Amino acid sequence: MNLDNVRDMAGAIRTEVAKAVVGQDGVVDHLLIALLAGGHVLLEGPPGTAKTLLAQSFAATLGLDFGRIQFTPDLMPGDILGSNLFNFQTSQFTLTRGPIFHELLLGDEINRTPPKTQAALLEAMQERRVTLDGETYALSDRFMVVATQNPIESQGVYPLPEAQLDRFLFKLLVDYPSAEEEAQIVTRYGAGRGAPSPEKLGVTAVTAGDAIAEAVAACATVTMGETVVDYIVRLVRATRESADLAAGASPRAAVVLAGAARARAALDGRDYVIPDDVKALAIAVLRHRMLLSPAAEIEGRAAETIVADLIQRTEAPR
């Protein structure tokens, strides 16, 4: 598969997702980039903005094995990973696999479960493997977590710790649709009963696991010049020197930003990365990897505004 094929495949995926979800084009593009870069995505937005339907439709277009976890305060790590249960017929322990063994895992309202249960995802998200009772089980190379959280509610939620947030390539803000898009949503779904599903809406798979692996391999051929590498490093290091931030982004942020920039270039059919690729992805990569200083919090400054200022102040290569 060459880069033109990657671009065409992405276009077909966008078309299929659009059958179910009105708007949210930018979120779909970031999901595609995360897929090709081997990253995970955190979607933050108010209820009813199609976060779950978007993840379901995205998995359906890829032909991936889809699993869903509804996070609740009483959820235990074993409910995610699975456990070894004793089989009285065979007098042996048998592994009962949890939902984490799917290829695309939707973690719905991930901030509703305690940190102990959130931590069950750490090894899987970082190393794509699960350890149960001393045995290690490999997950699919295409394993991807799409988690959602509601920024409005503050009761009964457990904010994700920094180590958990750092495992997500992107944190995307899912906003309300425009007036025109909302009119389309009401026209399309206003007469239906129950929650819509990708199958009922005609969403079909346009690719498969082998094609995804070939697309990932094609992304690896995208070149990144030394000047772009230097730009990424200077931008990430600027977060550690900003007076508005108590803690900046880690070297991991620079690594994943470079990988995401390669994937974005591939989706455009380019075999080289340009500074605009980095600028377009910097906010989504960095916004959840920084801690605001007390002064910035008092002033009500947003992480997105601070990153945008750093992008403006950091000279890009020509």
Side-chain angles (χ1 to χ4, degrees):
M1 181 180 291
N2 57 39
L3 296 178
D4 289 335
N5 300 139
V6 174
R7 182 177 56 189
D8 294 341
M9 183 185 77
I13 292 172
R14 294 187 187 101
T15 300
E16 287 298 311
V17 173
K19 293 180 181 179
V21 179
V22 177
Q24 307 297 355
D25 297 336
V27 177
V28 175
D29 287 344
H30 280 79
L31 286 173
L32 285 166
I33 293 170
L35 175 72
L36 297 180
H40 311 285
V41 178
L42 177 63
L43 302 178
E44 182 177 281
T49 49
K51 299 185 296 295
T52 299
L53 180 61
L54 178 59
Q56 291 174 331
S57 303
F58 185 67
T61 63
L62 300 173
L64 296 180
D65 182 25
F66 177 79
R68 180 177 182 273
I69 303 173
Q70 179 63 54
F71 283 93
T72 57
D74 60 347
L75 198 72
M76 299 296 291
D79 298 325
I80 298 174
L81 305 178
S83 58
N84 285 305
L85 301 178
F86 188 76
N87 188 326
F88 288 96
Q89 293 180 340
T90 62
S91 298
Q92 293 179 338
F93 283 94
T94 303
L95 173 64
T96 301
R97 294 175 178 248
I100 203 166
F101 284 92
H102 290 90
E103 291 179 312
L104 194 149
L105 178 66
L106 170 62
D108 225 352
E109 296 185 287
I110 190 173
N111 58 336
R112 283 202 172 277
T113 200
K116 177 177 67 174
T117 305
Q118 293 175 8
L121 294 170
L122 290 177
E123 182 182 15
M125 293 176 68
Q126 181 65 28
E127 302 175 27
R128 283 179 168 78
R129 68 182 188 186
V130 172
T131 302
L132 286 171
D133 295 338
E135 292 289 332
T136 300
Y137 304 91
L139 299 175
S140 169
D141 292 337
R142 295 176 293 277
F143 175 72
M144 179 179 178
V145 175
V146 178
T148 70
Q149 66 178 12
N150 178 1
I152 297 176
E153 294 182 276
S154 58
Q155 295 183 349
V157 296
Y158 303 84
L160 274 65
E162 282 69 26
Q164 180 80 61
L165 286 171
D166 201 41
R167 297 299 197 278
F168 288 99
L169 171 59
F170 295 137
K171 178 182 177 182
L172 306 177
L173 305 183
V174 182
D175 204 354
Y176 291 113
S178 65
E180 293 78 10
E181 291 171 342
E182 195 159 1
Q184 293 181 42
I185 294 170
V186 173
T187 301
R188 184 182 298 185
Y189 301 114
R193 293 184 60 188
S197 66
E199 295 78 14
K200 294 179 181 178
L201 299 171
V203 178
T204 59
V206 295
T207 186
D210 292 341
I212 295 172
E214 292 176 5
V216 172
C219 290
T221 66
V222 176
T223 59
M224 180 177 292
E226 292 184 3
T227 56
V228 178
V229 172
D230 176 67
Y231 176 55
I232 292 174
V233 171
R234 287 188 289 111
L235 181 58
V236 171
R237 292 181 68 86
T239 64
R240 305 171 203 159
E241 300 165 359
S242 172
D244 294 320
L245 299 174
S250 69
R252 178 188 288 164
V255 172
V256 298
L257 179 55
R262 279 193 170 91
R264 185 178 188 272
L267 290 177
D268 282 347
R270 285 183 281 107
D271 62 353
Y272 57 92
V273 178
I274 59 177
D276 285 347
D277 293 324
V278 179
K279 292 180 181 179
L281 301 174
I283 291 178
V285 171
L286 298 176
R287 61 159 52 108
H288 56 294
R289 291 183 159 91
M290 310 179 307
L291 292 178
L292 299 184
S293 66
E297 290 185 350
I298 293 173
E299 294 173 1
R301 301 201 65 189
E304 294 81 6
T305 303
I306 295 172
V307 175
D309 290 343
L310 293 176
I311 293 173
Q312 289 292 329
R313 296 202 299 263
T314 305
E315 185 179 358
R318 299 183 182 276

